[in-house]
Amino acid sequence: MTRASPRRVPRLYPPPRWPLARTRDRARDPDQALLRRIACDEEAAFRTLYERWYGKLSRFTTSRLGQRAYAEECTQEIFLRIWRSAGSYDPGKASPTTWIYTIARNAVIDQLRSRSRPLLDQRDPAWVPSSSQQPCDEELVQREIAAKVRAAVQQLPSAQAEVLTKSYFYHLTSREIAEESGIPVGTVKSRTRLAMERLRRALRWEQS
Amino acid sequence: MSPTHHLPQGWIMAWASGTLPPAHEILAATHLTLCPHCRARVAQAEEAIGALIERETCDVEPPEGALDALLARLDEPVAVATPELDGTTDPSGILPLPLAQLTGPFHEIRWRWVAPKVKGIKLDVPTIGLPLRLIKIRAGHRLPIHDHDGPERAIVLRGGWRDQTGHYRRGDACFVSEDMQGHEQVMDDDTDCIAIVLNDTPIKARNSILRLAASILKV
């Protein structure tokens, strides 16, 4: 059950309370700086973030929802969610891009279905916590793994990264990717397979 | 104790990209609640998609007036982001939240007979095959040997079983491929087994009398 509130969700900002080490490698990330300012209700920062992200999010919602009008409505909803929850963004847990992406994904799912995505909630009596005793240690490990993931993705050849983006971000089928990119369906499939294989090797992911 | 049988990588990527069908999502959410290892894998998959987005360039211009309309809505009242859980969790802790929200508390479930020593309920979630079911199988029971025409996915919630592929306990994901023939499951002795199960097609008992009974009773 939700309760109406005239105020936005409580802010973590300002001032940021994250240890410097956790944020150092993302300190130069412009989106992180923008989110910090948005958390302080800076409309100018929100405008900049909007300009930086509108294209990607608009294409994302259009590809997932189909109709332009619904997609535009959902894109607006995503930006509203970013504005309202920027204060809860924790750079120790995810990059700004990943955080914005999860907001966009959930907004699209909410738009597509009458029933929301199933809840994962740490307050659930059945929740099994991570075995790590120290939350800080766990975050450090997560940060290292996240850096490794990003490095593996950055090293993918452009053609392979493109098919993965179209498949997992825009949710296009192999046929749609082939038509859009002007390549045979077989090439799309082989690029996807090669890209996933590279990521599996780099990150020791298990086989599908 | 954490599960030792995990979700396939394809499911992890599909969960992260938000493209799992509803019944699959329930199975995945149930496992993820019980499995910190797979939650970490989801975080990696989301990070990978985030990194892919960073490589993407897209120069779509917003419609005229869209930003102004958005700015005018920034101070609208909003619902609190974190919903209350009271009344939706299972106090026994057997059913993770994604299931408890469909069934209510475990001790209030009205089980129906499915087969000897097997009870179950159908969950109200759209599927392409058979309904998603919560099942209860008597401790120590040996299920009749059966064949699969389609895949079977199950998450154990209490008790466990052994089959040709391993030993499955709470939280474990038991995914059986469509070509599994002669599937033989024996429940653990310690307690009745509770699991959620999704089959695309009916399983076929090897025993012809059981097969006939199943077709008459439609189980």
Side-chain angles (χ1 to χ4, degrees):
Chain A
M1 195 193 287
T2 58
R3 55 193 159 89
S5 164
R7 303 185 68 81
R8 294 158 60 182
V9 290
R11 299 285 192 205
L12 290 181
Y13 303 90
R17 292 184 288 273
W18 323 304
L20 190 60
R22 282 166 53 192
T23 57
R24 189 175 292 145
D25 57 339
R26 285 181 184 150
R28 287 185 210 137
D29 188 321
D31 289 328
Q32 184 178 320
L34 289 172
L35 287 174
R36 182 188 293 240
R37 289 169 55 203
I38 291 169
C40 300
D41 292 348
E42 270 194 45
E43 212 174 278
F46 182 72
R47 281 173 184 270
T48 309
L49 190 95
Y50 181 86
E51 283 158 12
R52 285 173 59 79
W53 275 87
Y54 180 84
K56 287 176 185 177
L57 292 179
S58 172
R59 186 162 175 224
F60 171 68
T61 54
T62 306
S63 68
R64 293 272 178 124
L65 298 171
Q67 291 194 36
R68 192 73 193 87
Y70 289 143
E72 184 55 33
E73 191 183 315
C74 187
T75 307
Q76 291 239 343
E77 175 61 26
I78 293 166
F79 280 109
L80 281 175
R81 289 186 189 192
I82 291 170
W83 170 257
R84 289 165 185 159
S85 53
S88 66
Y89 168 64
D90 180 350
K93 290 186 174 164
S95 68
T97 309
T98 303
W99 185 78
I100 291 170
Y101 161 67
T102 55
I103 287 181
R105 177 197 63 197
N106 293 344
V108 164
I109 292 173
D110 289 349
Q111 182 93 1
L112 280 170
R113 299 190 197 152
S114 53
R115 195 200 308 263
S116 298
R117 186 172 163 93
L119 264 183
L120 299 182
D121 199 306
Q122 295 187 38
R123 295 169 296 166
D124 182 355
W127 183 264
V128 176
S130 164
S131 57
S132 172
Q133 299 295 311
Q134 301 294 331
C136 289
D137 291 350
E138 192 185 326
E139 270 189 16
L140 268 177
V141 171
Q142 275 182 10
R143 299 280 303 104
E144 280 172 17
I145 292 171
K148 221 170 151 184
V149 171
R150 304 184 84 72
V153 170
Q154 295 304 333
Q155 283 165 15
L156 285 176
S158 299
Q160 291 178 15
E162 187 188 334
V163 291
L164 284 194
T165 306
K166 287 178 175 170
S167 175
Y168 289 113
F169 183 52
Y170 296 123
H171 195 206
L172 300 183
T173 63
S174 297
R175 186 171 297 281
E176 287 166 338
I177 296 171
E179 281 169 13
E180 202 180 274
S181 310
I183 53 176
V185 175
T187 307
V188 173
K189 288 182 176 171
S190 65
R191 284 179 186 173
T192 306
R193 196 180 61 247
L194 287 171
M196 289 306 291
E197 198 50 51
R198 273 172 176 263
L199 293 180
R200 267 188 212 115
R201 274 203 306 272
L203 304 166
R204 296 185 185 170
W205 282 353
E206 292 141 44
Q207 287 287 337
S208 292
Chain B
M1 204 171 77
S2 294
T4 52
H5 296 274
H6 301 289
L7 295 176
Q9 187 61 36
W11 277 53
I12 295 288
M13 289 303 292
W15 172 271
S17 63
T19 52
L20 276 178
H24 294 60
E25 264 193 344
I26 298 290
L27 285 158
T30 300
H31 177 78
L32 289 171
T33 298
L34 302 171
C35 184
H37 171 73
C38 283
R39 291 200 300 271
R41 291 169 68 208
V42 165
Q44 281 188 35
E46 287 174 346
E47 199 71 42
I49 297 172
L52 285 168
I53 298 166
E54 277 173 13
R55 293 183 61 157
E56 179 79 346
T57 51
C58 195
D59 49 3
V60 179
E61 288 295 318
E64 205 171 316
L67 177 58
D68 290 336
L70 181 63
L71 293 174
R73 295 179 60 194
L74 293 185
D75 290 325
E76 277 181 4
V78 290
V80 169
T82 312
E84 301 291 342
L85 294 186
D86 295 349
T88 59
T89 58
D90 173 28
S92 73
I94 295 172
L95 303 178
L97 183 63
L99 277 179
Q101 288 185 324
L102 294 169
T103 63
F106 180 74
H107 65 272
E108 289 175 16
I109 292 173
R110 302 178 73 175
W111 297 98
R112 288 170 178 269
W113 186 89
V114 174
K117 298 180 184 174
V118 182
K119 292 179 177 175
I121 56 165
K122 295 174 187 173
L123 303 181
D124 182 22
V125 183
T127 60
I128 50 162
L130 299 176
L132 182 64
R133 283 176 191 267
L134 185 68
I135 55 161
K136 180 160 86 166
I137 309 175
R138 184 87 56 84
H141 181 52
R142 179 184 290 268
L143 287 179
I145 299 175
H146 55 271
D147 298 329
H148 290 270
D149 271 348
E152 176 178 88
R153 309 92 173 175
I155 308 290
V156 181
L157 299 166
R158 196 181 74 179
W161 67 71
R162 286 179 193 278
D163 68 6
Q164 297 95 318
T165 61
H167 186 203
Y168 298 89
R169 297 289 293 174
R170 179 167 167 81
D172 281 334
C174 178
F175 283 36
V176 172
S177 65
E178 57 222 25
D179 52 2
M180 168 66 111
Q181 302 295 304
H183 195 198
E184 196 173 1
Q185 292 165 282
V186 183
M187 302 303 122
D188 289 351
D189 288 326
D190 54 352
T191 180
D192 287 353
C193 178
I194 310 290
I196 44 166
V197 184
L198 180 67
N199 287 94
D200 285 357
T201 56
I203 57 174
K204 289 192 294 192
R206 285 276 172 97
N207 182 312
S208 53
I209 297 171
L210 288 176
R211 213 164 46 238
L212 180 66
S215 66
I216 293 168
L217 298 169
K218 296 184 177 169
V219 293

